[in-house]
Amino acid sequence: APWRLMMSLTPSRGCLLDLPWEDILVPHILCHLPLQQLLSLQRVSKSFQSLIQLYLANMRCFDSSQIGPAIPRAAFVNLLKDNEVLQQLALQNCSDWLTDRELLPVIGQNHHLHQIQLKGCAQLSRHALVAISLSCPNLRRLSLAHCEWVDSLSLRSLADHCKVLEVVDLTACRQLKDEAICYLVQKCSKLKSLSLAVNANVGDVAVEEIAKCCPELEHLDLTGCLRVKNDSIRVLAEYCPKLRSLKVKHCHNVAESSLSILRSRGVELDVEPPLQRALVLLQDVVGFAPFINLQI
């Protein structure tokens, strides 16, 4: 039980709770315990309940996955009601209940957030993204994967107010088109990683603007962006010298003629070169890889 773990740390003389809470217990002991165990500790005594509430009010990182397979709505509201110093917020397994009503107060009182994870939070609305943009000017990492409520207007708000963004995941944000992506990268030129995967509305216009506006870009995911073609990949190769990985699987209009430029620079691609693909296919058909004299 968590309280036994805490009691094992009790000094030979005196009580653990006699140690300075804010200087010792919260920053040096409680921070090493899983959040789920800390919540169980609240049931030990009123003193432990007060201690854990102090910890929650000073918590810098909240990850809902640490609590278990699901977190009740009321528990989430209670856990973060006094916290104004959060720096990282990860909300997973919350899609069944998390709405603007629960999230907006947390965002509104935490202006130091630099990392937010909202992957799959389908019941939020564009107001959540507007609130994030207005409250979190130092935001650097944001995941909105599979949040189809993200639209061009809310993304423009994000771009206008969060100009130090470095990592943005817009996977399957299907309302977004080239124009919205262009506006984002024009305002957020420090982007290092961007995912636009599974968005059939994104094409060459957006990719070329990404290339020209984001010289620090290292990772780009265009998986399933069917409108992307060779021309924009060549522009990407020309303008993004720091590019380390590019995903273009299922981009049927992107061929080796453009990818070979990046491949020669050591950029990691999720599409194998034609010869390798042919060997894999042949191996699947005949059951072995034949010897081929590559010098011929």
Side-chain angles (χ1 to χ4, degrees):
W3 51 87
R4 291 176 183 171
L5 175 61
M6 292 293 289
M7 291 308 178
S8 69
L9 299 173
T10 304
S12 58
R13 296 180 181 178
C15 174
L16 175 68
L17 294 176
D18 291 336
L19 293 172
W21 288 14
E22 294 191 48
D23 295 332
I24 300 297
L25 294 183
V26 170
H28 297 294
I29 296 180
L30 296 187
C31 63
H32 296 292
L33 297 178
L35 184 57
Q36 193 170 26
Q37 290 189 355
L38 291 174
L39 298 181
S40 298
L41 268 173
Q42 294 185 102
R43 298 194 294 268
V44 174
S45 68
K46 290 185 178 180
S47 295
F48 270 110
Q49 183 180 25
S50 298
L51 173 61
I52 301 307
Q53 288 175 346
L54 176 65
Y55 172 81
L56 294 173
N58 289 275
M59 187 168 47
R60 299 296 196 274
C61 176
F62 179 82
D63 186 343
S64 63
S65 65
Q66 294 182 7
I67 298 178
I71 172 174
R73 175 189 285 109
F76 171 78
V77 173
N78 185 62
L79 287 175
L80 296 179
K81 62 183 175 61
D82 297 322
N83 193 304
E84 298 180 358
V85 295
L86 272 180
Q87 296 180 3
Q88 300 179 36
L89 178 63
L91 298 177
Q92 305 168 62
N93 305 318
C94 303
S95 59
D96 292 339
W97 59 266
L98 184 67
T99 67
D100 293 355
R101 183 177 180 179
E102 293 79 34
L103 181 63
L104 264 58
V106 176
I107 297 299
Q109 66 192 31
N110 284 281
H111 304 293
H112 303 289
L113 281 164
H114 60 76
Q115 183 172 329
I116 298 177
Q117 161 70 268
L118 296 176
K119 180 179 179 181
C121 293
Q123 294 194 51
L124 298 174
S125 77
R126 60 182 302 273
H127 299 295
L129 187 52
V130 172
I132 289 171
S133 65
L134 296 178
S135 297
C136 310
N138 298 315
L139 192 64
R140 295 184 179 276
R141 304 174 67 93
L142 176 62
S143 175
L144 298 169
H146 302 281
C147 293
E148 297 196 20
W149 44 265
V150 177
D151 61 10
S152 59
L153 289 177
S154 57
L155 194 69
R156 287 175 72 93
S157 179
L158 180 74
D160 285 334
H161 297 94
C162 300
K163 298 183 180 180
V164 295
L165 278 167
E166 295 180 355
V167 178
V168 178
D169 188 348
L170 297 173
T171 298
C173 292
R174 295 185 175 91
Q175 288 196 57
L176 300 178
K177 300 181 180 180
D178 282 350
E179 182 181 4
I181 302 303
C182 289
Y183 192 87
L184 173 69
V185 299
Q186 289 166 3
K187 298 287 186 175
C188 303
S189 59
K190 296 182 179 180
L191 280 175
K192 294 183 179 180
S193 178
L194 177 62
S195 175
L196 302 173
V198 199
N199 191 332
N201 292 319
V202 171
D204 284 345
V205 173
V207 176
E208 290 182 13
E209 197 67 15
I210 292 168
K212 294 174 181 178
C213 295
C214 302
E216 302 297 316
L217 191 68
E218 298 178 2
H219 306 283
L220 180 61
D221 189 346
L222 299 173
T223 303
C225 294
L226 304 178
R227 295 176 57 235
V228 174
K229 302 177 183 177
N230 281 322
D231 289 345
S232 62
I233 300 301
R234 293 191 183 96
V235 175
L236 194 69
E238 179 180 357
Y239 283 88
C240 295
K242 297 184 179 181
L243 192 66
R244 294 166 51 193
S245 71
L246 174 66
K247 294 183 178 181
V248 288
K249 187 172 289 186
H250 307 304
C251 295
H252 304 304
N253 293 314
V254 175
E256 185 64 21
S257 58
S258 60
L259 294 177
S260 60
I261 305 171
L262 294 168
R263 205 184 298 278
S264 66
R265 282 173 26 193
V267 175
E268 180 182 345
L269 302 172
D270 63 342
V271 176
E272 295 176 334
L275 178 59
Q276 185 64 33
R277 289 204 302 272
L279 288 176
V280 171
L281 180 61
L282 186 58
Q283 185 173 9
D284 290 341
V285 173
V286 302
F288 66 93
F291 172 79
I292 297 178
N293 186 348
L294 298 179
Q295 295 181 346
I296 297 177

